[in-house]
Amino acid sequence: MNASNTQFLARAYRAVLAAAFAFALAGCASSIHFRSQDGAGADEPAPPTEMITEKLIAAERQQHREQANVELENLLVPNPPPYAIGSGDVLSIVVWDHPELAGNAMNTGSLAADPSGANTAPPGFVVDHLGRIQFPLIGMVGVDGKTEEQARALLTAKLAKYLANPNVTLRVQSYRSKRVYIDGEVKSPGLQAINDIPMTLVEAINRSGGLLPSADQSRIVLERGQQRYLLSLRDLVQKGINPGMVMLAPGDVVRVHSRDESKVFVSGEVLTPKALTMHDGRLTLNEALGESGGISPLSGDARQVYVVRKTPERTRVFQLDARVAGSLAMAESFELQPKDIVYVAASPLANWNRNLSLLIPGALTSAVTATNRP
């Protein structure tokens, strides 16, 4: 290699070093950038970073507590009302000393015509879609929304016009008007009929065979109409609230989530990046870092520990400076949520080494190739 080629190679080497230095300095910035949704154009600046402090942790706890209390106010029923008759229910009505008025007599002809019973209506009096039953002597009687005692008193009053001192017994024989649906990590998911036993959250789970080992007791979703409630059995017990006071309503859908759906993702400059499963809905930032092996002592920047959280309103970015006194205590108090992303940024020196190793070998090869051309 002649002198001119050597000088050219030296100049190229210095140019590469300068470019690598500038590129490394640019990579040392602490801000996070998100690419636009369409994938085109320059990166967009990240949402404002919120430093993890004692004040922020207290505010997050208070907000969570207030939201949970508002939801519980609509669900807790200390003294559930008695069962109300509805359309589709089958009533057993007996008028003593008047067997001709019994509901079972209505199906005698059907049983004789169809011995198999396949097309036989249920014995008793079926409440129609308008909430009425047809009873001998008195005709159509509205019983929708009434308790057994109220319906019995109504029939007694109407029969008193035709019978002397009628003695009426009325009970619900088949509960078919009100149901709830249980889905998710239970042994027997499906529809559960509401009967005279109050359908509480605990009762519904027990009727479904109980929770599976894979169930997340902190993520039980109750959907009622357009409302959606997130319940945690662990939080209820810690607050001294009996989960048996959470009353279900007809048409409610209860879904018990799996533990696998409640994961936190740890990436960046940690020893073992991984997806972590929360422990019954609880995982702190300190636990997440510990289970991932901690911040890498060679490449991690303890000043830049980020938590990225997607909320329905916006994306929030939290930052912890692990060098500050008391940071470990704050990390232990900072509660993570499912789908959170914990990211530890690289140190400026690590960025410098990586950028340099990426740029210099390719640039030197190009420079040598250019000098060896005839």
Side-chain angles (χ1 to χ4, degrees), residues 222-264:
L222 169 60
E223 296 184 3
R224 176 175 298 173
Q226 301 298 324
Q227 298 294 325
R228 190 171 186 269
Y229 304 95
L230 179 60
L231 302 174
S232 171
L233 295 181
R234 180 179 64 88
D235 288 347
L236 291 176
V237 173
Q238 287 182 349
K239 294 177 181 179
I241 299 176
N242 183 4
M245 294 174 59
V246 178
M247 188 64 55
L248 301 185
D252 282 356
V253 178
V254 178
R255 174 172 175 79
V256 182
H257 283 267
S258 170
R259 294 177 185 270
D260 292 336
E261 300 178 38
S262 304
K263 288 189 175 182
V264 171

Side-chain angles (χ1 to χ4, degrees), residues 141-212:
V141 181
V143 295
D144 184 43
K146 292 181 170 54
T147 65
E148 291 181 347
E149 180 63 25
Q150 292 171 341
R152 187 197 66 80
L154 177 62
L155 285 177
T156 301
K158 289 183 176 293
L159 287 172
K161 299 178 182 179
Y162 307 95
L163 304 174
N165 300 320
N167 185 10
V168 180
T169 299
L170 181 148
R171 65 182 180 86
V172 180
Q173 183 169 293
S174 298
Y175 298 89
R176 306 191 306 179
S177 65
K178 303 175 181 63
R179 297 180 180 180
V180 296
Y181 185 76
I182 313 298
D183 189 20
E185 301 301 307
V186 292
K187 292 183 179 179
S188 302
L191 289 172
Q192 297 291 338
I194 299 178
N195 53 24
D196 56 330
I197 300 176
M199 181 63 78
T200 63
L201 178 62
V202 175
E203 179 69 18
I205 292 176
N206 288 337
R207 291 190 193 181
S208 301
L211 299 175
L212 295 175

Side-chain angles (χ1 to χ4, degrees), residues 293-338:
I295 302 174
S296 173
L298 300 178
S299 59
D301 188 352
R303 300 171 301 175
Q304 301 184 64
V305 180
Y306 296 99
V307 176
V308 182
R309 177 176 300 164
K310 181 68 175 179
T311 64
E313 298 80 15
R314 58 191 175 94
T315 299
R316 303 181 66 183
V317 179
F318 304 94
Q319 180 181 356
L320 175 70
D321 186 350
R323 304 179 311 167
V324 177
S327 59
L328 293 180
M330 288 188 291
E332 180 62 27
S333 301
F334 188 81
E335 298 273 353
L336 298 177
Q337 296 183 8

